[in-house]
Amino acid sequence: MLHADPISAAAAVAAPAASAATPPPFTVTSVFTETRLDSWLAVGLVLAAGVYLYGVHRLRVRGDRWPVARTVFFLGPGLGGIAAVTVSGLHAYDTALLSVHMVQHMVLSMISPIFLALGAPVTLALRTLPPRPRKRLLAVVHSRIARIYSFPLVAFTIFVVNPFALYFTDLYRYTLEHVWAHEVVHAHFIMTGCVFFWPLLGLDPLPGRWPYPARALLMLLSVPFHTVLGLTIMQSSTLFGGDWYPSLGLTWSDPWQDQVVAGGILWAGGEFVSVTMLAVLVVQWMRHAEREARRVDRDLDRQEARQRAAESTA
């Protein structure tokens, strides 16, 4: 009769489970082979895209025009950017490689929210909703809570403080150990980015929007933030997440080297996106000035026409 050691049996069962949870070496092919479509975030992205396209269809049916660029921004780099880092195979490595998590951080908190704002979904909803839902949406947009969170200084504080509160506390280790907490962090990144970039670059009607010089100054102040955070991560003498990454036993990745890469991604990527968006803001500022100049010219032309008509009548 064979004797089975319960400890050895438990270890034998645990070993395959641990190996199954350990992702294969990260390659470009893994981004496609590890794709998943069963997450709640994937369902939300599909619903958001469907609702947006339905709104555009409603406008076209009644003969109204909606800029194609807004649709491309919202569906492409906006929702598509979120899908690229959460639904694709990158999700299999977001708790195994800090560098992959930092790529997600950059896209979810900076890149995608910018293009979601440029897609002007609130404006689209106001133009397509029936009167009663439109009034409710306007009430939400102009509510006290929306005014507080969309105030640029409040949004800037949230945008700057959140990464430090996440990475330099035990909260980050908790999100690595619990899948639901990690998913909540993803949603939080998106919301934080929207709160920061919507009042600065968005096209939707928001209360208390700052003038362009103040917006440009605030965008400029956000540039050193990513430099400080990225360099701090690169030069840190402790591993983020404690012994989480070494405990995975990835023979194809060094946690210390990966942490340096993660800090470099945050540093270089943050500065590139900030400077690029500052340029976009300047372009918006120039176009706004041109529109205001044309409006003033039209007002002057009308005043001169009225004055000539009054003189001819006299």
Side-chain angles (χ1 to χ4, degrees):
M1 180 181 296
L2 296 177
H3 175 71
D5 187 358
I7 299 178
S8 300
V13 174
S19 61
T22 302
F26 180 74
T27 61
V28 177
T29 308
S30 304
V31 177
F32 303 96
T33 58
E34 300 293 329
T35 300
R36 66 169 181 177
L37 298 174
D38 57 347
S39 66
W40 62 269
L41 191 54
V43 176
L45 293 174
V46 173
L47 290 177
V51 172
Y52 190 93
L53 289 175
Y54 178 71
V56 175
H57 173 71
R58 286 280 304 273
L59 287 180
R60 291 183 177 179
V61 166
R62 72 186 190 193
D64 293 339
R65 178 180 174 274
W66 183 256
V68 178
R70 295 184 183 181
T71 304
V72 173
F73 286 153
F74 189 84
L75 298 180
L79 297 181
I82 297 174
V85 296
T86 57
V87 179
S88 72
L90 287 179
H91 84 278
Y93 299 89
D94 58 2
T95 58
L97 295 174
L98 181 62
S99 56
V100 172
H101 173 78
M102 285 303 171
V103 172
Q104 290 181 325
H105 181 159
M106 292 297 305
V107 174
L108 296 179
S109 65
M110 295 194 67
I111 298 176
S112 289
I114 292 170
F115 291 99
L116 293 177
L118 294 176
V122 177
T123 302
L124 179 61
L126 292 175
R127 294 182 60 180
T128 56
L129 287 175
R132 182 172 295 180
R134 186 187 303 123
K135 290 181 180 179
R136 292 178 180 175
L137 180 58
L138 282 174
V140 172
V141 171
H142 295 280
S143 64
R144 184 175 182 180
I145 295 179
R147 289 178 178 273
I148 293 175
Y149 280 98
S150 62
F151 186 69
L153 286 180
V154 175
F156 177 78
T157 303
I158 296 174
F159 185 76
V160 171
V161 171
N162 273 343
F164 288 95
L166 173 64
Y167 296 122
F168 295 96
T169 64
D170 295 333
L171 180 60
Y172 181 64
R173 175 61 182 261
Y174 186 84
T175 62
L176 294 174
E177 296 173 343
H178 301 82
V179 177
W180 68 268
H182 204 71
E183 297 288 343
V184 170
V185 168
H186 288 167
H188 183 70
F189 280 158
I190 299 172
M191 294 177 60
T192 302
C194 289
V195 166
F196 178 65
F197 287 106
W198 224 288
L200 298 181
L201 300 170
L203 305 176
D204 290 319
L206 295 177
R209 192 185 293 272
W210 278 12
Y212 279 98
R215 288 192 241 172
L217 178 60
L218 195 62
M219 183 69 73
L220 189 62
L221 292 176
S222 68
V223 177
F225 149 70
H226 293 96
T227 302
V228 173
L229 182 59
L231 289 176
T232 303
I233 294 175
M234 295 176 66
Q235 299 175 358
S236 176
S237 58
T238 58
L239 283 175
F240 284 73
D243 61 345
W244 171 265
Y245 294 110
S247 67
L248 298 178
L250 301 180
T251 58
W252 46 270
S253 175
D254 179 14
W256 289 101
Q257 184 178 0
D258 183 66
Q259 182 164 301
V260 174
V261 174
I265 291 174
L266 189 61
W267 174 19
E271 288 195 355
F272 175 77
V273 174
S274 297
V275 173
T276 303
M277 290 305 102
L278 182 60
V280 172
L281 187 61
V282 171
V283 172
Q284 290 182 347
W285 185 2
M286 295 173 61
R287 291 180 177 177
H288 176 75
E290 292 176 358
R291 289 193 299 267
E292 285 296 313
R294 288 195 297 267
R295 184 185 64 81
V296 172
D297 290 339
R298 289 194 298 267
D299 291 341
L300 292 176
D301 292 340
R302 285 193 293 266
Q303 292 178 7
E304 292 178 358
R306 286 195 297 267
Q307 185 176 0
R308 285 195 299 268
E311 290 176 354
S312 62
T313 302

